[in-house]
Amino acid sequence: MTPLLVVAGALVGAPLRLLVTRLAARGGRDPAGGTLTVNVAGSALLGLVLGAAATPPAVVALVGTGFCGTLTTFSTFGGDVVRMVEQRRLARGLAYVLATVVLGVGAAALGYVAAPG
Amino acid sequence: MRYAPGSSRPRPEARPELARGEGAGVLYLLAALGGALGALARWGVGTALPHSPGGWPWATLLVNLTGCLLFGVLIALLAARSPEPPWARPFLAVGVLGGYTTCSAFAVEAVGLAEAGHPVPAVGYVLVSVVGGVLAVAAGALAVRAVRSR
């Protein structure tokens, strides 16, 4: 049952991430803004899910491992940073790394603290 | 965009807009299917390598570092192909590897380590994940370029 719930969450999370990065890339802007957005939002939601005392295991599998895990990504983040370095945009790459870490971990902590119970 | 006067036609755009309308639906389907496969693999690794709350999260570190390495390999392979297969990026990069790796578990685990009274491992986990992930993408891409240039 658990793997099916993980798959169900992932079937929503991955296309939603594609949608957000495509929207962020409109007008020739950097799609990394979209990656940052989904990573921070997914980290906040997972903090809420895991911080709540009474979250059922099925919800953790569906919303946590499946949806949040797949909405967010680390490989695209790493690829974005390498691309920025190759384009000699070092300040932008460093700002992107710091934003992902500070906002991502901060959002997870906020979700964790704000969770009921 | 510059092209020599008199040449037959302008070069196609370096980054064409992704397909819109009905064609875009296929992109989302490919991303969803790939994401499901990647998430299943991530769940499998997490089940095989469980960690206690506040413990060192080996499973997430493993999927993120190996996923970044494979991402570097993939983008270097695709960069060497012109035109690249249209299914490869949405299915493999956005879907499989995007779904296999995760930022949310990484962020929550860093908070968990700190909350469990392990601030030094928490900072270490963030540094190893971020620096290791970026280096893994670069290593994967450089390895492909080195093999191809022989």
Side-chain angles (χ1 to χ4, degrees), chain B residues 40-53:
Chain B
L40 263 186
R42 171 165 44 78
W43 171 78
V45 172
T47 307
L49 292 174
H51 72 277
S52 57

mmCIF file with all atom_site columns, all heavy atoms in Angstrom, chain B residues 40-53:
data_model
loop_
_atom_site.group_PDB
_atom_site.id
_atom_site.type_symbol
_atom_site.label_atom_id
_atom_site.label_alt_id
_atom_site.label_comp_id
_atom_site.label_asym_id
_atom_site.label_entity_id
_atom_site.label_seq_id
_atom_site.pdbx_PDB_ins_code
_atom_site.Cartn_x
_atom_site.Cartn_y
_atom_site.Cartn_z
_atom_site.occupancy
_atom_site.B_iso_or_equiv
_atom_site.pdbx_formal_charge
_atom_site.auth_seq_id
_atom_site.auth_comp_id
_atom_site.auth_asym_id
_atom_site.auth_atom_id
_atom_site.pdbx_PDB_model_num
ATOM 1   N N   . LEU B 1 40 ? 9.594  6.121  -6.287 1.00 0.00 ? 40 LEU B N   1
ATOM 2   C CA  . LEU B 1 40 ? 9.612  4.726  -5.825 1.00 0.00 ? 40 LEU B CA  1
ATOM 3   C C   . LEU B 1 40 ? 11.031 4.301  -5.443 1.00 0.00 ? 40 LEU B C   1
ATOM 4   O O   . LEU B 1 40 ? 11.247 3.653  -4.414 1.00 0.00 ? 40 LEU B O   1
ATOM 5   C CB  . LEU B 1 40 ? 9.105  3.805  -6.939 1.00 0.00 ? 40 LEU B CB  1
ATOM 6   C CG  . LEU B 1 40 ? 7.645  3.376  -6.901 1.00 0.00 ? 40 LEU B CG  1
ATOM 7   C CD1 . LEU B 1 40 ? 7.389  2.348  -7.996 1.00 0.00 ? 40 LEU B CD1 1
ATOM 8   C CD2 . LEU B 1 40 ? 7.286  2.795  -5.537 1.00 0.00 ? 40 LEU B CD2 1
ATOM 9   N N   . ALA B 1 41 ? 11.998 4.677  -6.288 1.00 0.00 ? 41 ALA B N   1
ATOM 10  C CA  . ALA B 1 41 ? 13.391 4.336  -5.999 1.00 0.00 ? 41 ALA B CA  1
ATOM 11  C C   . ALA B 1 41 ? 13.840 5.010  -4.696 1.00 0.00 ? 41 ALA B C   1
ATOM 12  O O   . ALA B 1 41 ? 14.508 4.392  -3.853 1.00 0.00 ? 41 ALA B O   1
ATOM 13  C CB  . ALA B 1 41 ? 14.285 4.742  -7.158 1.00 0.00 ? 41 ALA B CB  1
ATOM 14  N N   . ARG B 1 42 ? 13.455 6.277  -4.519 1.00 0.00 ? 42 ARG B N   1
ATOM 15  C CA  . ARG B 1 42 ? 13.827 7.002  -3.294 1.00 0.00 ? 42 ARG B CA  1
ATOM 16  C C   . ARG B 1 42 ? 13.197 6.354  -2.073 1.00 0.00 ? 42 ARG B C   1
ATOM 17  O O   . ARG B 1 42 ? 13.850 6.191  -1.027 1.00 0.00 ? 42 ARG B O   1
ATOM 18  C CB  . ARG B 1 42 ? 13.394 8.474  -3.409 1.00 0.00 ? 42 ARG B CB  1
ATOM 19  C CG  . ARG B 1 42 ? 13.529 9.286  -2.122 1.00 0.00 ? 42 ARG B CG  1
ATOM 20  C CD  . ARG B 1 42 ? 13.448 10.787 -2.378 1.00 0.00 ? 42 ARG B CD  1
ATOM 21  N NE  . ARG B 1 42 ? 12.387 11.158 -3.298 1.00 0.00 ? 42 ARG B NE  1
ATOM 22  C CZ  . ARG B 1 42 ? 11.101 11.242 -2.963 1.00 0.00 ? 42 ARG B CZ  1
ATOM 23  N NH1 . ARG B 1 42 ? 10.730 10.991 -1.716 1.00 0.00 ? 42 ARG B NH1 1
ATOM 24  N NH2 . ARG B 1 42 ? 10.195 11.586 -3.862 1.00 0.00 ? 42 ARG B NH2 1
ATOM 25  N N   . TRP B 1 43 ? 11.927 5.947  -2.208 1.00 0.00 ? 43 TRP B N   1
ATOM 26  C CA  . TRP B 1 43 ? 11.252 5.264  -1.102 1.00 0.00 ? 43 TRP B CA  1
ATOM 27  C C   . TRP B 1 43 ? 11.964 3.940  -0.789 1.00 0.00 ? 43 TRP B C   1
ATOM 28  O O   . TRP B 1 43 ? 12.138 3.580  0.378  1.00 0.00 ? 43 TRP B O   1
ATOM 29  C CB  . TRP B 1 43 ? 9.781  5.022  -1.464 1.00 0.00 ? 43 TRP B CB  1
ATOM 30  C CG  . TRP B 1 43 ? 9.066  4.159  -0.491 1.00 0.00 ? 43 TRP B CG  1
ATOM 31  C CD1 . TRP B 1 43 ? 8.586  4.525  0.732  1.00 0.00 ? 43 TRP B CD1 1
ATOM 32  C CD2 . TRP B 1 43 ? 8.761  2.767  -0.641 1.00 0.00 ? 43 TRP B CD2 1
ATOM 33  N NE1 . TRP B 1 43 ? 8.004  3.446  1.340  1.00 0.00 ? 43 TRP B NE1 1
ATOM 34  C CE2 . TRP B 1 43 ? 8.089  2.357  0.530  1.00 0.00 ? 43 TRP B CE2 1
ATOM 35  C CE3 . TRP B 1 43 ? 8.990  1.822  -1.658 1.00 0.00 ? 43 TRP B CE3 1
ATOM 36  C CZ2 . TRP B 1 43 ? 7.646  1.040  0.718  1.00 0.00 ? 43 TRP B CZ2 1
ATOM 37  C CZ3 . TRP B 1 43 ? 8.549  0.517  -1.476 1.00 0.00 ? 43 TRP B CZ3 1
ATOM 38  C CH2 . TRP B 1 43 ? 7.886  0.146  -0.302 1.00 0.00 ? 43 TRP B CH2 1
ATOM 39  N N   . GLY B 1 44 ? 12.393 3.228  -1.842 1.00 0.00 ? 44 GLY B N   1
ATOM 40  C CA  . GLY B 1 44 ? 13.095 1.959  -1.637 1.00 0.00 ? 44 GLY B CA  1
ATOM 41  C C   . GLY B 1 44 ? 14.388 2.149  -0.871 1.00 0.00 ? 44 GLY B C   1
ATOM 42  O O   . GLY B 1 44 ? 14.701 1.387  0.061  1.00 0.00 ? 44 GLY B O   1
ATOM 43  N N   . VAL B 1 45 ? 15.148 3.186  -1.230 1.00 0.00 ? 45 VAL B N   1
ATOM 44  C CA  . VAL B 1 45 ? 16.406 3.458  -0.525 1.00 0.00 ? 45 VAL B CA  1
ATOM 45  C C   . VAL B 1 45 ? 16.112 3.837  0.923  1.00 0.00 ? 45 VAL B C   1
ATOM 46  O O   . VAL B 1 45 ? 16.787 3.386  1.856  1.00 0.00 ? 45 VAL B O   1
ATOM 47  C CB  . VAL B 1 45 ? 17.201 4.572  -1.234 1.00 0.00 ? 45 VAL B CB  1
ATOM 48  C CG1 . VAL B 1 45 ? 18.408 4.991  -0.408 1.00 0.00 ? 45 VAL B CG1 1
ATOM 49  C CG2 . VAL B 1 45 ? 17.645 4.119  -2.620 1.00 0.00 ? 45 VAL B CG2 1
ATOM 50  N N   . GLY B 1 46 ? 15.073 4.644  1.133  1.00 0.00 ? 46 GLY B N   1
ATOM 51  C CA  . GLY B 1 46 ? 14.710 5.051  2.488  1.00 0.00 ? 46 GLY B CA  1
ATOM 52  C C   . GLY B 1 46 ? 14.267 3.875  3.349  1.00 0.00 ? 46 GLY B C   1
ATOM 53  O O   . GLY B 1 46 ? 14.524 3.851  4.560  1.00 0.00 ? 46 GLY B O   1
ATOM 54  N N   . THR B 1 47 ? 13.596 2.907  2.731  1.00 0.00 ? 47 THR B N   1
ATOM 55  C CA  . THR B 1 47 ? 13.171 1.716  3.470  1.00 0.00 ? 47 THR B CA  1
ATOM 56  C C   . THR B 1 47 ? 14.363 0.834  3.816  1.00 0.00 ? 47 THR B C   1
ATOM 57  O O   . THR B 1 47 ? 14.411 0.203  4.873  1.00 0.00 ? 47 THR B O   1
ATOM 58  C CB  . THR B 1 47 ? 12.147 0.923  2.628  1.00 0.00 ? 47 THR B CB  1
ATOM 59  O OG1 . THR B 1 47 ? 11.100 1.809  2.234  1.00 0.00 ? 47 THR B OG1 1
ATOM 60  C CG2 . THR B 1 47 ? 11.551 -0.228 3.417  1.00 0.00 ? 47 THR B CG2 1
ATOM 61  N N   . ALA B 1 48 ? 15.344 0.776  2.900  1.00 0.00 ? 48 ALA B N   1
ATOM 62  C CA  . ALA B 1 48 ? 16.520 -0.065 3.128  1.00 0.00 ? 48 ALA B CA  1
ATOM 63  C C   . ALA B 1 48 ? 17.475 0.556  4.145  1.00 0.00 ? 48 ALA B C   1
ATOM 64  O O   . ALA B 1 48 ? 18.205 -0.164 4.832  1.00 0.00 ? 48 ALA B O   1
ATOM 65  C CB  . ALA B 1 48 ? 17.244 -0.299 1.804  1.00 0.00 ? 48 ALA B CB  1
ATOM 66  N N   . LEU B 1 49 ? 17.480 1.887  4.224  1.00 0.00 ? 49 LEU B N   1
ATOM 67  C CA  . LEU B 1 49 ? 18.422 2.591  5.112  1.00 0.00 ? 49 LEU B CA  1
ATOM 68  C C   . LEU B 1 49 ? 17.660 3.516  6.066  1.00 0.00 ? 49 LEU B C   1
ATOM 69  O O   . LEU B 1 49 ? 17.774 4.736  5.974  1.00 0.00 ? 49 LEU B O   1
ATOM 70  C CB  . LEU B 1 49 ? 19.410 3.435  4.293  1.00 0.00 ? 49 LEU B CB  1
ATOM 71  C CG  . LEU B 1 49 ? 20.427 2.726  3.421  1.00 0.00 ? 49 LEU B CG  1
ATOM 72  C CD1 . LEU B 1 49 ? 21.201 3.748  2.577  1.00 0.00 ? 49 LEU B CD1 1
ATOM 73  C CD2 . LEU B 1 49 ? 21.407 1.933  4.272  1.00 0.00 ? 49 LEU B CD2 1
ATOM 74  N N   . PRO B 1 50 ? 16.860 2.944  6.971  1.00 0.00 ? 50 PRO B N   1
ATOM 75  C CA  . PRO B 1 50 ? 16.099 3.820  7.874  1.00 0.00 ? 50 PRO B CA  1
ATOM 76  C C   . PRO B 1 50 ? 17.037 4.516  8.867  1.00 0.00 ? 50 PRO B C   1
ATOM 77  O O   . PRO B 1 50 ? 18.106 3.993  9.190  1.00 0.00 ? 50 PRO B O   1
ATOM 78  C CB  . PRO B 1 50 ? 15.164 2.843  8.589  1.00 0.00 ? 50 PRO B CB  1
ATOM 79  C CG  . PRO B 1 50 ? 15.861 1.537  8.550  1.00 0.00 ? 50 PRO B CG  1
ATOM 80  C CD  . PRO B 1 50 ? 16.679 1.517  7.290  1.00 0.00 ? 50 PRO B CD  1
ATOM 81  N N   . HIS B 1 51 ? 16.634 5.708  9.311  1.00 0.00 ? 51 HIS B N   1
ATOM 82  C CA  . HIS B 1 51 ? 17.428 6.384  10.350 1.00 0.00 ? 51 HIS B CA  1
ATOM 83  C C   . HIS B 1 51 ? 16.488 6.846  11.458 1.00 0.00 ? 51 HIS B C   1
ATOM 84  O O   . HIS B 1 51 ? 15.325 7.158  11.208 1.00 0.00 ? 51 HIS B O   1
ATOM 85  C CB  . HIS B 1 51 ? 18.231 7.557  9.779  1.00 0.00 ? 51 HIS B CB  1
ATOM 86  C CG  . HIS B 1 51 ? 17.411 8.741  9.408  1.00 0.00 ? 51 HIS B CG  1
ATOM 87  N ND1 . HIS B 1 51 ? 16.760 8.836  8.199  1.00 0.00 ? 51 HIS B ND1 1
ATOM 88  C CD2 . HIS B 1 51 ? 17.095 9.877  10.079 1.00 0.00 ? 51 HIS B CD2 1
ATOM 89  C CE1 . HIS B 1 51 ? 16.101 9.973  8.148  1.00 0.00 ? 51 HIS B CE1 1
ATOM 90  N NE2 . HIS B 1 51 ? 16.282 10.633 9.272  1.00 0.00 ? 51 HIS B NE2 1
ATOM 91  N N   . SER B 1 52 ? 17.017 6.855  12.665 1.00 0.00 ? 52 SER B N   1
ATOM 92  C CA  . SER B 1 52 ? 16.215 7.277  13.802 1.00 0.00 ? 52 SER B CA  1
ATOM 93  C C   . SER B 1 52 ? 15.967 8.776  13.695 1.00 0.00 ? 52 SER B C   1
ATOM 94  O O   . SER B 1 52 ? 16.754 9.495  13.077 1.00 0.00 ? 52 SER B O   1
ATOM 95  C CB  . SER B 1 52 ? 16.961 6.957  15.102 1.00 0.00 ? 52 SER B CB  1
ATOM 96  O OG  . SER B 1 52 ? 18.220 7.582  15.084 1.00 0.00 ? 52 SER B OG  1
ATOM 97  N N   . PRO B 1 53 ? 14.863 9.277  14.299 1.00 0.00 ? 53 PRO B N   1
ATOM 98  C CA  . PRO B 1 53 ? 14.616 10.728 14.293 1.00 0.00 ? 53 PRO B CA  1
ATOM 99  C C   . PRO B 1 53 ? 15.809 11.460 14.916 1.00 0.00 ? 53 PRO B C   1
ATOM 100 O O   . PRO B 1 53 ? 16.256 11.122 16.007 1.00 0.00 ? 53 PRO B O   1
ATOM 101 C CB  . PRO B 1 53 ? 13.362 10.873 15.156 1.00 0.00 ? 53 PRO B CB  1
ATOM 102 C CG  . PRO B 1 53 ? 12.698 9.537  15.114 1.00 0.00 ? 53 PRO B CG  1
ATOM 103 C CD  . PRO B 1 53 ? 13.806 8.533  14.985 1.00 0.00 ? 53 PRO B CD  1
#
